[in-house]
Amino acid sequence: MEEHAMSESGLTVAWRAGTMLGEGPVWIEEQQVLLFVDIHGGRICLYDPGRGAGRDLPCTGRPSFIYPAGADSFVYGSNRELRLLSLTGRDERLCDLTVPEDTRTNDGAVDVHGRLWFGMSHVPETEPLGGLFVYDRGEVRQHLDNIVVPNGPAISPDGSTMYHVDSPRGRISRYRIEDGAPVDGHLHVQIAEGDGFPDGVTLDAEGCLWVCLWDGWGVRRYDPDGRLMREIRFPCARVTKLALGGADGTTAYVTTARTGLGDAELREQPGAGSLFAFDAGVAGVPAAHCALP
């Protein structure tokens, strides 16, 4: 395949959202919409595939993930706090996070028990001051540390397995979750130098892991043993995270970024910052709801 060419997947631009750092797509089954964030743009975006249109929701700071927390409530991470949002416009602080000042929330996931797992990233992305935290009905605990940019996690539907990404080191690790804590971590996939950096990860209904590659021009699917099964090439370099949804549950929605790209790169990558879609051929795992106190 020619470098950076479209693949046989039928990859399309769903919405030219123009995100600086699009991240964290999550399919909301109840409303049949996709939510995602633009961290550097300070946006929470809602895409309605039924209308083929998107819009922004009011938010605060630099949102980095968003998950359902009730019929019309959503929890999102922003800077050094967790916040609550509703589609009717409510936006209020849920809790402050006791973390270093030069960190911010990054990627997240909710497990079947309603626990919100999320990473804190070093803001200049140079020092290992980040880690993995969990919000459990009002209590916040830290489980992993010494991480520069944590991504994921992705958690199995039964809540027993977690995949966690150390992006600068190219490592995707697999953990057992035991008594609410990740244990027995070991390397699951190592992304080779020059292939990009692993960013967001997502599990599908067959237990396979979808990995987006920052500066890697694509998305990969790995089987439960860590073997590469499929790769979809993108027309832009900074591919960030994938969610499975749509009317039949098998549409892959993928966020991308334009931050840090120069004028010449943006001319080469006019789709950078868009929301892309393709037929994944496999269903996703419904998003769990974050349990509030």
Side-chain angles (χ1 to χ4, degrees):
M1 184 185 301
E2 184 179 348
E3 187 179 15
H4 313 330
M6 292 284 191
S7 71
E8 77 287 350
S9 62
L11 184 69
T12 62
V13 173
W15 177 24
R16 293 192 179 277
T19 54
M20 292 301 297
L21 181 52
E23 276 283 6
V26 58
W27 178 253
I28 309 300
E29 184 66 26
E30 293 85 353
Q31 285 91 3
Q32 290 286 292
V33 297
L34 185 85
L35 294 180
F36 62 99
V37 302
D38 179 359
I39 299 175
H40 289 350
R43 302 164 60 193
I44 292 177
C45 305
L46 182 151
Y47 174 68
D48 182 345
R51 298 176 56 219
R55 61 186 174 94
D56 288 1
L57 302 178
C59 63
T60 300
R62 292 186 294 175
S64 64
F65 61 78
I66 184 165
Y67 281 94
D72 186 40
S73 293
F74 302 87
V75 60
Y76 71 95
S78 177
N79 296 330
R80 296 183 303 280
E81 62 182 14
L82 301 179
R83 300 188 63 85
L84 276 177
L85 178 75
S86 73
L87 296 183
T88 57
R90 180 186 64 175
D91 179 21
E92 61 189 38
R93 185 171 63 246
L94 178 61
C95 74
D96 292 316
L97 301 170
T98 305
V99 292
E101 288 191 6
D102 49 354
T103 62
R104 63 162 174 82
T105 60
N106 201 40
D107 206 356
V110 177
D111 69 20
V112 68
H113 305 291
R115 295 179 295 226
L116 169 65
W117 299 81
F118 62 95
M120 298 297 301
S121 176
H122 185 233
V123 175
E125 299 186 359
T126 57
E127 301 296 328
L129 298 180
L132 178 69
F133 293 72
V134 64
Y135 172 84
D136 188 358
R137 293 168 173 80
E139 179 185 359
V140 178
R141 301 185 299 273
Q142 182 171 0
H143 288 294
L144 302 178
D145 58 13
N146 194 38
I147 302 170
V148 179
V149 182
N151 268 297
I155 303 172
S156 63
D158 64 2
S160 67
T161 304
M162 171 185 291
Y163 296 89
H164 185 264
V165 181
D166 187 341
S167 292
R169 297 184 176 104
R171 294 174 57 89
I172 304 172
S173 299
R174 178 172 174 161
Y175 293 82
R176 287 187 298 109
I177 298 179
E178 193 172 281
D179 296 327
V183 298
D184 190 28
H186 60 276
L187 181 66
H188 183 66
V189 172
Q190 177 71 52
I191 302 298
E193 187 174 353
D195 285 357
F197 299 93
D199 201 330
V201 291
T202 304
L203 281 166
D204 63 32
E206 296 178 358
C208 296
L209 190 72
W210 295 81
V211 180
C212 291
L213 297 174
W214 179 272
D215 284 346
W217 299 83
V219 173
R220 293 178 177 179
R221 185 182 186 228
Y222 291 89
D223 73 10
D225 294 320
R227 293 186 293 257
L228 179 62
M229 300 177 68
R230 186 180 180 193
E231 183 167 9
I232 296 93
R233 303 293 287 171
F234 273 60
C236 51
R238 299 190 161 173
V239 187
T240 56
K241 193 167 184 178
L242 176 151
L244 293 162
D248 59 1
T250 63
T251 298
Y253 294 103
V254 187
T255 50
T256 62
R258 56 192 288 115
T259 187
L261 298 177
D263 291 343
E265 291 169 309
L266 288 171
R267 285 194 295 272
E268 181 189 359
Q269 305 172 46
S274 295
L275 176 71
F276 288 82
F278 66 89
D279 180 10
V282 62
V285 178
H289 286 222
C290 176
L292 302 177

